[in-house]
Amino acid sequence: MSAYIIPVIFIALFCYSKYKKVNTYDTFVKGAKKAIPLVIDIFPYIATIMIAVALLRVSGVTLLLAQFFSPLFHLLGIPSQLIELVLLRPFTGSGSYALLNNVLLEYGADSYISRCACVILGCSETIFYVTAVYTSQTKVKRLLYAIPVALIASVVGSVVACLLCKII
């Protein structure tokens, strides 16, 4: 059933555009033209985040931070194997998925740690990536409270995720 969702949506949109007498190809091309300047505007912000994350991982800073925060995360109920994942998730999506892959390979797909990692990834967001994209396209540049609140919400989501995985 799920294999038919995208084709059905595509056909429905095509039929709706024909009904409204909209030239779908020209509209698509106009949208693609608008996307190119957007990509050019956003690229420096995304590249900066990607380079910073790569430097943090290669330098070993994330492992040092994981060791430093280990007692706190243990107190909060987050397994020590997932500390690096929780710390990296606000910065990078692809790096988080690479860490998830490592967890799944090491502990198996149905282990408590793997379930926690999956739920943490599902309930959190790449905060700094989204912030970089948002600030590159709006006039809002001061995010005094937004980032700390988002980081706190991410940690709370991780704690709740591990608690729910333990209960269920």
Side-chain angles (χ1 to χ4, degrees), residues 23-148:
N23 188 337
T24 52
Y25 182 75
D26 288 343
T27 305
F28 179 79
V29 170
K30 285 179 188 176
K33 279 183 183 178
K34 289 180 182 179
I36 292 171
L38 176 67
V39 169
I40 291 170
D41 287 345
I42 292 174
F43 181 75
Y45 296 93
I46 294 172
T48 302
I49 294 290
M50 299 277 205
I51 291 169
V53 168
L55 289 174
L56 284 173
R57 289 213 64 215
V58 170
S59 68
V61 171
T62 56
L63 292 174
L64 289 173
L65 286 172
Q67 289 174 349
F68 179 77
F69 286 115
S70 182
L72 174 65
F73 279 70
H74 179 70
L75 181 69
L76 294 173
I78 298 173
S80 60
Q81 297 87 340
L82 302 180
I83 295 173
E84 190 177 12
L85 175 69
V86 173
L87 292 175
L88 273 181
R89 179 63 176 161
F91 294 96
T92 175
S94 58
S96 300
Y97 284 110
L99 288 174
L100 173 64
N101 185 46
N102 292 343
V103 168
L104 292 172
L105 289 174
E106 187 172 341
Y107 298 100
D110 201 30
S111 68
Y112 167 69
I113 292 172
S114 295
R115 288 193 315 267
C116 287
C118 289
V119 177
I120 287 170
L121 242 57
C123 76
S124 59
E125 182 57 73
T126 53
I127 296 164
F128 291 101
Y129 172 80
V130 171
T131 303
V133 171
Y134 176 74
T135 56
S136 73
Q137 293 302 303
T138 64
K139 293 180 181 178
V140 176
K141 300 297 180 203
R142 290 180 31 176
L143 300 169
L144 181 63
Y145 299 113
I147 292 176

